Amino acid sequence: KAGVTQTPRYLIKTRGQQVTLSCSPISGHRSVSWYQQTPGQGLQFLFEYFSETQRNKGNFPGRFSGRQFSNSRSEMNVSTLELGDSALYLCASSSGRAQDTIYFGEGSWLTVV
Amino acid sequence: EDQVTQSPEALRLQEGESSSLNCSYTVSGLRGLFWYRQDPGKGPEFLFTLYSAGEEKEKERLKATLTKKESFLHITAPKPEDSATYLCAVQANSGNTPLVFGKGTRLSVIA
């Protein structure tokens, strides 16, 4: 079956702009999580959505937001981009049940110039 | 606070030279410990989940083991295609908590 799909794969934005990233989870999965990966900090949790509700949130500023649609697809938005937001943004999906496997997409590479 | 520490940061092996990667963790009740492999420019690829101390899982040349404080990823007779960054993550057993990742071990296998 199809894996986790993220779009776009690569993008370049200018400081101060905003960006929207999209994630389609594995069919049947209702939980979508977002992570930011940088060389210095590793993978850091942004937020998780389950059945269109934010179930958990990491320690990121309010410029980072997300949402989930009724078909479980999710988007994350970063407003007023800063140079430090340059990173690989990873989406992960699971059924949302305890002890379920969590699968990652290929990520969206964001460069802020 | 849940924490994961992986060692070494980088490991260089000759093809066929077996070794182990370490993942030490502190967590307020373990729901699961996850191992992923990540190739450059790609997302993490799921390898194993371990749930309780004493559990072991194998896949090809990889074997993961778990104790109450750490996990090991043993690589037997590695090949160049095993070169990647190996990530360890834990999930606490309290509500719907996210994965907490270590910084990873970057493995290079030289032919």
Side-chain angles (χ1 to χ4, degrees):
Chain A
K1 60 183 178 183
V4 181
T5 303
Q6 293 189 243
T7 57
R9 286 279 285 132
Y10 305 93
L11 65 166
I12 301 173
K13 290 287 186 178
T14 303
R15 195 170 42 178
Q17 287 186 314
Q18 73 166 14
V19 66
T20 299
L21 308 178
S22 179
C23 172
S24 292
I26 292 171
S27 177
H29 283 186
R30 296 165 64 190
S31 170
V32 173
S33 299
W34 290 89
Y35 290 80
Q36 181 196 66
Q37 186 176 31
T38 59
Q41 298 297 319
L43 275 99
Q44 293 189 294
F45 172 73
L46 283 157
F47 28 67
E48 184 211 358
Y49 286 87
F50 181 82
S51 294
E52 301 179 67
T53 301
Q54 188 179 87
R55 193 160 71 168
N56 224 324
K57 189 177 188 305
N59 189 26
F60 277 80
R63 300 185 296 107
F64 292 81
S65 63
R67 60 177 175 169
Q68 187 180 31
F69 303 95
S70 58
N71 61 358
S72 293
R73 191 178 69 85
S74 176
E75 290 181 347
M76 68 162 283
N77 183 276
V78 187
S79 62
T80 318
L81 285 165
E82 301 177 358
L83 297 179
D85 296 332
S86 295
L88 177 63
Y89 290 88
L90 292 162
C91 170
S93 87
S94 74
S95 69
R97 294 188 300 268
Q99 297 193 335
D100 190 35
T101 300
I102 299 169
Y103 297 94
F104 283 83
E106 296 286 14
S108 293
W109 281 98
L110 171 64
T111 301
V112 182
V113 298
Chain B
E1 184 182 336
D2 302 334
Q3 286 191 327
V4 177
T5 303
Q6 292 188 246
S7 61
E9 288 186 19
L11 181 62
R12 187 181 173 98
L13 298 173
Q14 293 293 320
E15 184 173 4
E17 179 187 2
S18 301
S19 188
S20 296
L21 313 183
N22 177 264
C23 171
S24 297
Y25 66 91
T26 55
V27 65
S28 52
L30 180 69
R31 172 174 292 171
L33 184 140
F34 297 74
W35 281 99
Y36 289 87
R37 168 195 170 125
Q38 187 174 27
D39 293 303
K42 297 197 170 185
E45 174 190 347
F46 172 75
L47 293 173
F48 306 107
T49 310
L50 302 168
Y51 297 107
S52 57
E55 189 175 0
E56 299 183 350
K57 287 191 177 175
E58 286 188 69
K59 179 181 179 180
E60 296 180 357
R61 294 177 294 281
L62 300 177
K63 178 180 177 180
T65 62
L66 180 65
T67 73
K68 288 187 177 180
K69 293 184 178 181
E70 58 191 350
S71 176
F72 292 93
L73 184 65
H74 307 278
I75 303 176
T76 302
K79 299 182 178 181
E81 53 261 42
D82 294 322
S83 297
T85 295
Y86 291 85
L87 297 167
C88 172
V90 296
Q91 188 176 37
N93 191 22
S94 57
N96 301 300
T97 55
L99 297 178
V100 175
F101 280 86
K103 296 285 180 70
T105 294
R106 190 170 63 255
L107 174 67
S108 300
V109 182
I110 311 302

